[in-house]
Every structure is written in structure tokens, then in C-alpha cells.
């Protein structure tokens, strides 16, 4: 047996998903799109029903020493809603799978669910079921979200066209820098519990890490302006990684310009303070939950004055060239670093 053993970190998360995908073919005509996008698409008559699952594990995705349970509940819903948004859909229902140990009190679970409730109200989704079980390894929250989109409005990862303009919402790298700040303050606290955490100057970054929002506002605005993105993905693993998904799935190359990548000044300054390159944080820092999408050049006029949508580059026909033009006008290849969770098994 030993000679047949392949370590998970040899193929990585994306490799593993591809491997699973290859082993299954869709049997039902209602299963329009299976594994490989932000959500699956199920034929529901006039609309597509969208289905997506995201799981958060204690010790991997969150640390309860700085993540309040209320925020965690909110975030667990928001990251699922974000995947529905990434299909240009509207979320409608969620179910929640919960793994718990007796380390948690009833009041702690109340706090978790008050965050879940706040997110349900904000995104107008209904909690319709789930499952609860004992867990030996801390808190586990797995949420499945169901959403809906009109058939001619769906935005997949694979449908970008040559010369389409690449757009990104909000700003990038802040959630990653927020995590760096929280980790630093945790270490300070562990060394000297008398020290109070110094988070005051980093409020925006910490907020982006602890309380991300799904960009449903953008989905609604695009609908109002009668724009259907030619492709879309949400930024959970980092801009570079998501750009590569759009390029690869659409069978095109991507070219972006460093000067157009939106980075908040607090992200920029804090990255420098941590001796990190701000653009690397924006490209490879995860958990921004902004939307990355492409539009036809014909739609640029309708969006060009939008304060929160940035035009960072364009799609092109050379699939071998996924590049960024730096501020110094040099061309560097984009690398899909993403978050390799299997690193923790090494
Ligand atoms: P996202 O970052 O948008 O949540 P993922 O990278 O987690 O997307 O997943 C990519 C695709 O792989 C999705 O279609 C997802 O449903 C599918 N997927 C992920 N893990 C599994 C798994 N263990 N079995 C089957 N499909 C999976
Ligand atoms: Mg996604």
C-alpha cells in the first residue's frame, strides 16, 4: 500500500477538487452545472436554483481568542451569500451543520446564532434547517446557501470573452492585514496578559477580517443598470488565484495593472509596518469577499463613474500569459498562491 500513497499537499486543494470532479458525471438533466464554480446551478423552470456550501473550522479558519462568536456567526453566513452573489444571484435560504463540544455553553451558542440572525436579516435569507452533532476537535460550522437567478442573468466563471474588462469591487488585502494585526496582538497578550490589545488604529482592517460583507449591493446595482457580468467570482482566496480561475475556466489570459488594484491607505501603511509588500497582500491575501467580474467593453460607460468598482485590466487571447504590469512598467507573471489549507498537514 505504501508505494501508492500520495500526500494531499502534493496535489493541493484545487488539485483534489479537480480529481473529485473528474470521477463524477451529472446524471440528472436538472443538474446544469456541478463542481467548479462558486455555486452549482439547478434548473428550476424560469430560474436557476443556486447551491453552495462553505465550512469554517476552529483552528483553521478562525481563532476564538479574538473572533467573537457573534461575528463568527455573521461571517459564516456572509461567506456563503458571497458565493451566491458571485453567480449574480440572490440568496433565499440557508441550512447549518454545527459540530460542538461541551466547551461551549448555551449562552455561547446563543451568541453565535445572534450573529447568524443578524446576517439572515441583512441578506434577507431564511434559516430552514441543519444538523447538530458532537465534535471532538472544536467548533465546526458548515453552511449551505440556496439562491436564485434568472437564467439569462447568471454569471459563471467560464464565460468571459476576449477583451472583456476586468472589474473588482471595494479594496483588497485589508482582511489579510487585519488577521496579521490580530495575530500580533494575540502574541503580545500571550507574552504579557497585562497588555491591552492595540487595535484602535487598525479598526478598518480588523473589521474586514472579523465582519466581512457579501457584496449583494453590487449585484443589485448591476441589475438596476441592466448589466450582466460576462463572468464573475468572489475573492475568497486572493485576487491572483481568482483571476487564474476566471482565465483558465474561460480559456483566456488575464492582464492587470498594479496601479489600478485598489488598496486602502490603512492596508498600505500597515503592510509597510509589517515589512510586507502591499501589492502582494492585495494579490494573495484572502478573505476579502469582494467581487471580481468581467464586463463587455460596451458596458464600461455605464459603470465608469461608480465609486466602488475598479477597472484593473482585461482578458486576452493568450492563455499562457496571466500577468500584471507593475507601476514600473515591468510585466510579472501572476501566481495563484491562494490558501493551501493542506499546509497544516505537513
Ligand atoms: P469557493 O472558494 O467559491 O467556495 P471552492 O474553491 O471551495 O469554491 O470550491 C470550488 C468548487 O468545488 C465548488 O463547485 C465546490 O462546490 C466544489 N467542491 C469543493 N469541495 C468539494 C468536495 N469535497 N466535494 C465535491 N465538490 C467540492
Ligand atoms: Mg467563491
Amino acid at each position: 500500500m505504501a508505494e501508492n500513497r500520495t500526500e494531499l499537499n502534493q496535489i493541493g486543494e484545487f488539485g483534489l477538487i479537480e480529481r473529485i470532479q473528474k470521477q463524477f458525471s451529472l446524471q440528472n438533466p436538472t443538474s446544469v452545472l456541478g463542481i467548479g464554480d462558486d455555486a452549482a446551478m439547478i434548473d428550476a423552470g424560469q430560474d436557476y436554483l443556486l447551491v453552495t456550501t462553505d465550512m469554517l473550522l476552529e483552528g483553521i479558519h478562525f481563532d476564538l481568542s479574538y473572533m467573537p462568536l457573534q461575528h463568527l456567526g455573521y461571517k459564516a453566513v456572509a461567506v456563503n451569500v458571497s458565493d451566491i452573489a458571485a453567480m449574480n444571484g440572490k440568496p433565499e435560504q440557508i441550512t447549518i451543520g454545527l459540530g460542538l463540544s461541551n466547551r461551549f455553553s448555551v449562552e455561547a451558542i446563543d451568541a453565535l446564532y445572534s450573529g447568524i440572525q443578524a446576517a439572515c436579516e441583512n441578506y434577507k435569507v431564511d434559516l430552514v434547517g441543519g444538523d447538530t452533532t458532537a465534535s471532538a476537535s472544536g467548533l465546526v460550522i458548515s453552511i449551505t446557501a440556496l439562491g436564485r437567478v434568472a437564467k439569462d442573468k447568471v454569471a459563471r466563471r467560464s464565460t468571459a470573452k476576449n477583451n472583456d474588462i476586468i472589474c473588482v469591487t471595494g479594496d483588497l488585502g485589508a482582511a489579510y492585514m487585519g488577521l496579521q494585526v490580530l495575530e500580533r496582538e494575540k502574541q503580545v497578550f500571550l507574552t504579557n496578559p497585562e497588555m491591552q490589545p492595540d487595535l484602535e488604529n487598525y479598526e478598518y482592517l480588523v473589521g474586514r477580517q472579523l465582519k466581512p460583507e457579501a457584496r449583494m449591493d453590487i449585484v443589485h446595482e448591476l441589475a438596476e443598470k441592466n448589466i450582466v457580468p460576462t463572468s464573475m467570482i468572489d475573492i475568497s482566496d486572493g485576487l491572483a488565484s481568482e483571476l487564474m480561475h476566471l482565465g483558465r475556466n474561460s480559456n483566456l489570459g488575464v492582464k492587470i495593472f498594479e496601479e489600478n488594484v485598489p488598496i486602502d491607505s490603512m492596508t498600505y501603511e500597515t503592510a509597510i509596518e509589517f515589512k510586507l509588500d502591499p501589492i502582494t497582500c492585495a494579490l494573495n491575501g484572502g478573505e476579502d469577499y469582494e467581487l471580481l467580474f468581467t464586463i463587455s467593453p460596451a458596458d464600461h460607460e455605464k459603470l465608469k463613474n461608480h465609486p466602488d468598482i475598479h477597472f484593473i485590466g482585461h482578458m486576452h487571447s493568450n492563455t499562457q500569459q496571466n500577468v500584471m504590469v507593475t507601476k514600473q512598467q515591468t510585466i510579472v507573471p501572476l501566481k495563484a498562491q491562494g490558501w493551501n489549507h493542506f499546509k497544516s498537514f505537513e
Side-chain angles (χ1 to χ4, degrees), residues 13-14 17 20 34-38 54 83 157 234 236-237:
E13 180 182 345
F14 299 144
I17 292 173
I20 296 170
I35 297 171
D37 215 304
D38 294 289
D54 254 302
D83 276 324
R157 293 178 180 180
D234 68 327
S236 50
D237 291 337

Side-chain angles (χ1 to χ4, degrees), residues 177-193:
M177 284 320 303
L179 182 63
Q180 302 313 304
V181 170
L182 287 164
E183 288 283 352
R184 178 177 70 182
E185 295 312 312
K186 182 184 174 183
Q187 292 313 319
V188 170
F189 179 79
L190 289 176
T191 324
N192 181 1

Side-chain angles (χ1 to χ4, degrees), residues 20-244:
I20 296 170
Q21 186 180 16
K22 281 197 195 118
Q23 289 161 16
F24 289 82
S25 55
L26 301 173
Q27 305 176 56
N28 292 294
T30 46
S31 307
V32 176
L33 179 67
I35 297 171
D37 215 304
D38 294 289
M41 289 158 50
I42 314 290
D43 194 333
Q46 287 197 328
D47 298 330
Y48 289 125
L49 181 66
L50 303 169
V51 186
T52 178
T53 298
D54 254 302
M55 181 155 61
L56 299 181
L57 264 82
E58 185 176 357
I60 303 282
H61 300 98
F62 59 88
D63 182 332
L64 288 174
S65 58
Y66 49 71
M67 182 64 150
L69 281 163
Q70 207 169 335
H71 285 47
L72 179 64
Y74 193 96
K75 181 170 177 172
V77 178
V79 303
N80 277 278
V81 170
S82 181
D83 276 324
I84 298 290
M87 303 299 290
N88 206 28
K90 297 188 180 75
E92 293 184 344
Q93 290 88 17
I94 55 166
T95 61
I96 304 186
L98 205 57
L100 289 171
S101 71
N102 57 11
R103 186 157 60 83
F104 296 94
S105 65
V106 172
E107 289 72 21
I109 304 309
D110 283 347
L112 179 73
Y113 271 80
S114 75
I116 290 172
Q117 196 165 27
C120 284
E121 268 165 37
N122 190 14
Y123 298 117
K124 301 187 174 54
V125 298
D126 299 315
L127 169 62
V128 294
D131 193 25
T132 310
T133 173
S135 156
S137 58
L139 184 60
V140 180
I141 310 171
S142 175
I143 297 192
T144 294
L146 306 176
R148 196 174 282 275
V149 61
K151 281 185 175 168
D152 58 347
K153 300 277 163 27
V154 73
R156 302 167 58 156
R157 293 178 180 180
S158 57
T159 42
K161 300 277 175 298
N162 191 17
N163 295 323
D164 279 354
I165 299 171
I166 303 173
C167 311
V168 71
T169 62
D171 61 81
L172 302 176
Y176 175 74
M177 284 320 303
L179 182 63
Q180 302 313 304
V181 170
L182 287 164
E183 288 283 352
R184 178 177 70 182
E185 295 312 312
K186 182 184 174 183
Q187 292 313 319
V188 170
F189 179 79
L190 289 176
T191 324
N192 181 1
E194 306 282 284
M195 292 279 285
Q196 285 302 305
D198 167 28
L199 297 176
E200 223 170 73
N201 296 322
Y202 305 98
E203 235 167 73
Y204 176 65
L205 307 180
V206 169
R208 293 278 288 174
Q209 169 61 220
L210 298 183
K211 198 172 181 287
E213 292 286 0
R215 296 306 304 262
M216 282 308 302
D217 57 326
I218 297 289
V219 173
H220 292 300
E221 277 183 59
L222 291 175
E224 274 163 28
K225 293 183 193 296
N226 232 338
I227 296 172
V228 179
T230 53
S231 70
M232 184 145 64
I233 186 168
D234 68 327
I235 304 181
S236 50
D237 291 337
L239 177 64
S241 169
E242 317 300 6
L243 281 167
M244 306 287 275

